[in-house]
Amino acid sequence: MQLAYWLCDNYLKDPLATLIVENTHLHILPSMNPDGFALRRRGNANNVDLNRDFPDQFFPNNDDIKQRQPETRAIMNWIKQEHFTASASLHGGALVANYPWDGSRDTRKQYYGCPDDKAFRYMASMYSQSHYNMSLSKEFEGGITNGALW
């Protein structure tokens, strides 16, 4: 939310804010789970963990889109309409920049890189290096991790 406030407050006042607003196709989703946020829990109003409600590349769970939660369906429709070239998802938990893939075929915790692994590692490293505490992580080397390994 701070980014959205900063962009609104500084547009036409700060050259960086103006550059971002005028040259970046930017979407900000403050919360995918406003009910869970308000209730201070992972689950939405139906007590479903939305992080586990999306399709999985390795395990077909909940393949019927009608069975998914409304928030999940809304996000899936949104990403089909927009052609994002990059995205970042921030949520509570460990202080780490996590990059794909988040799973593996055999569910073991081992490194499982995606086709763009080098690019994702680079972006995660750049983000971590810009965050003092994250980059000094004792748990995650360089403050980054492959989701499947984690």
Side-chain angles (χ1 to χ4, degrees):
M1 289 305 304
Q2 291 297 324
L3 173 61
Y5 291 138
W6 180 81
L7 288 170
C8 291
D9 290 344
N10 292 288
Y11 177 62
L12 298 179
K13 298 175 194 167
D14 181 298
L16 180 58
T18 304
L19 178 77
I20 292 169
V21 170
E22 292 182 353
N23 294 289
T24 305
H25 189 95
L26 184 66
H27 293 256
I28 298 174
L29 176 68
S31 176
M32 189 180 88
N33 186 4
D35 296 321
F37 182 81
L39 296 168
R40 298 175 188 248
R41 67 179 192 203
R42 269 186 88 107
N44 65 354
N46 298 323
N47 205 24
V48 172
D49 181 350
L50 299 176
N51 289 333
R52 307 292 175 258
D53 196 43
F54 285 91
D56 186 290
Q57 65 179 340
F58 300 117
F59 303 100
N61 61 332
N62 192 6
D63 281 339
D64 183 2
I65 192 160
K66 294 179 205 117
Q67 297 299 316
R68 296 189 189 280
Q69 295 299 297
E71 300 93 336
T72 308
R73 289 194 311 267
I75 294 296
M76 290 173 69
N77 288 331
W78 182 40
I79 61 177
K80 286 178 185 175
Q81 292 171 2
E82 298 296 330
H83 298 283
F84 295 105
T85 54
S87 69
S89 173
L90 308 174
H91 62 85
L95 188 59
V96 64
N98 177 29
Y99 57 92
W101 295 118
D102 275 352
S104 63
R105 292 186 202 289
D106 59 9
T107 70
R108 290 186 299 169
K109 290 186 176 189
Q110 62 187 23
Y111 196 98
Y112 198 83
C114 70
D116 295 318
D117 191 61
K118 285 184 182 179
F120 279 113
R121 283 183 63 98
Y122 175 78
M123 289 186 284
S125 293
M126 290 296 97
Y127 185 84
S128 176
Q129 290 170 20
S130 298
H131 188 292
Y132 181 77
N133 291 332
M134 187 182 297
S135 64
L136 298 176
S137 174
K138 302 273 190 250
E139 184 178 359
F140 303 101
E141 184 179 341
I144 69 172
T145 190
N146 171 262
L149 179 63
W150 183 18

